[in-house]
Amino acid sequence: MRLIRERDRRVKTGVPRSTWHELMAQGAAPKPVQLGLRSVAWIEDELEAWMQALEARRSADRGVSSKRG
């Protein structure tokens, strides 16, 4: 298991901090693991799974839109 800090999470996902916090509040993005009082990190596998789910939804949406015409 590899932990990803905030800076690397932003680079990996391309999602800014404020948007990421909105997504977490909506339950639409993985939440971090608390490492200390002021330190958090994300589990890399959870970020990968989240990005793969986004890609799958995007592919499914393309399939639906192309069938419409």
Side-chain angles (χ1 to χ4, degrees), residues 24 56 67:
M24 286 191 308
K67 290 179 184 176

Side-chain angles (χ1 to χ4, degrees), residues 15-60:
V15 179
R17 181 180 294 174
S18 59
T19 302
W20 190 263
H21 283 279
E22 290 174 16
L23 291 170
M24 286 191 308
Q26 297 167 7
K31 292 187 178 182
V33 175
Q34 192 78 37
L35 301 177
L37 291 176
R38 297 178 58 182
S39 179
V40 298
W42 283 262
I43 298 172
E44 184 176 37
D45 290 344
E46 290 181 2
L47 293 177
E48 291 287 340
W50 179 80
M51 290 187 298
Q52 288 173 1
L54 284 179
E55 184 178 359
R57 274 185 252 139
R58 182 178 178 187
S59 295

